[in-house]
């Protein structure tokens, strides 16, 4: 049953990426209730404090699961009691999510995560830069994407590797030189 839309996949990634490291400092775009409510409202939420709490909690749980720090069991409470209800609209079956309005966003992201895991396992992962806390969904053919963004982390890590190689080469040259002299 394909119930997850591309929109929900984007929602999932956006939610996972609400705690970026900015100038070396870990931040949380959902830390304040007001900010969390604004974030949710723009994405079809109701903007209530209860919803903000659910969104924050599901974000933390999903981050732990994607980072392999927790098993997916921690996601169970977020879909508990939710139901997908079919109805016939102009000749086609359409599915509607039935759950407490404050939990709609949290349930949608867990369903989007489950759909990704089932249809494209391993495609959702954390950025390869250990100092970055963002996530990516690899949509490339080769499934070798490592960075949340090539422009930021990709180039930074490439530059770092280049620097490390140069430093190692310089050290090796120094050692060889010392051996030759000794
Ligand atoms: Zn990154």
């Amino acid at each position: 049953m394909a119930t997850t839309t591309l929109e929900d996949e984007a929602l999932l990634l956006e939610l996972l990426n609400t705690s970026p490291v900015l100038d070396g400092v870990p931040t949380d775009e959902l830390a304040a209730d007001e900010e969390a409510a604004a974030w949710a409202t723009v994405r079809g939420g109701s903007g209530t404090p209860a919803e903000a709490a659910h969104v924050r909690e599901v974000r933390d749980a999903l981050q732990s699961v994607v980072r392999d720090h927790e098993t997916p069991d921690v996601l169970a409470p977020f879909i508990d009691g939710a139901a997908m209800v079919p109805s016939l609209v102009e000749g086609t079956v359409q599915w509607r999510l039935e759950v407490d309005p404050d939990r709609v966003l949290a349930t949608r992201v867990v369903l989007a995560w489950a759909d990704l895991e089932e249809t494209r396992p391993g495609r959702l992962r954390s950025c390869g830069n250990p100092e970055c806390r963002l996530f990516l969904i690899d949509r490339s053919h080769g499934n070798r994407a490592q960075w949340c963004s090539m422009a930021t982390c990709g180039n930074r890590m490439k530059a770092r590797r280049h620097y490390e190689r140069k430093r190692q080469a310089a050290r090796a040259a120094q050692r060889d030189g010392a051996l030759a002299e000794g």
Side-chain angles (χ1 to χ4, degrees):
M1 185 173 70
T3 50
T4 304
T5 60
L6 266 179
E7 199 188 327
D8 284 7
E9 201 173 290
L11 180 71
L12 167 67
L13 191 61
E14 280 172 2
L15 180 62
L16 283 169
N17 286 344
T18 50
S19 55
V21 175
L22 300 177
D23 294 329
V25 182
T27 63
D28 184 353
E29 293 170 7
L30 307 179
D33 272 350
E34 245 169 67
E35 281 175 304
W39 188 94
T41 307
V42 176
R43 289 161 181 87
S46 50
T48 64
E51 180 188 61
H54 288 309
V55 164
R56 248 192 315 261
E57 280 168 28
V58 79
R59 190 265 320 263
D60 295 348
L62 277 164
Q63 286 184 340
S64 301
V65 170
V66 177
R67 288 181 178 130
D68 280 333
H69 296 167
E70 298 267 15
T71 64
D73 297 351
V74 296
L75 302 173
F78 300 101
I79 53 172
D80 191 34
M84 294 301 291
V85 179
S87 61
L88 205 63
V89 180
E90 291 171 9
T92 57
V93 170
Q94 297 195 353
W95 294 88
R96 195 182 69 251
L97 174 63
E98 225 168 59
V99 68
D100 171 4
D102 285 333
R103 293 174 52 206
V104 169
L105 283 177
T107 307
R108 276 173 56 194
V109 291
V110 173
L111 294 178
W113 168 84
D115 190 63
L116 253 176
E117 282 303 288
E118 195 183 319
T119 58
R120 283 161 291 159
R123 291 286 178 148
L124 171 64
R125 46 188 178 256
S126 43
C127 177
N129 175 1
E131 285 153 29
C132 177
R133 289 168 63 196
L134 297 182
F135 294 81
L136 62 133
I137 296 174
D138 189 349
R139 297 185 175 92
S140 73
H141 186 67
N143 192 17
R144 281 197 297 262
Q146 293 179 63
W147 323 112
C148 62
S149 141
M150 197 61 215
T152 53
C153 288
N155 285 333
R156 204 172 299 154
M157 294 304 280
K158 269 189 182 168
R160 187 178 301 176
R161 278 182 199 164
H162 178 74
Y163 170 77
E164 286 291 328
R165 267 198 303 271
K166 264 180 85 168
R167 214 174 54 162
Q168 274 170 13
R171 252 195 232 144
Q174 231 175 21
R175 197 175 52 223
D176 291 349
L179 283 176
E181 276 167 29

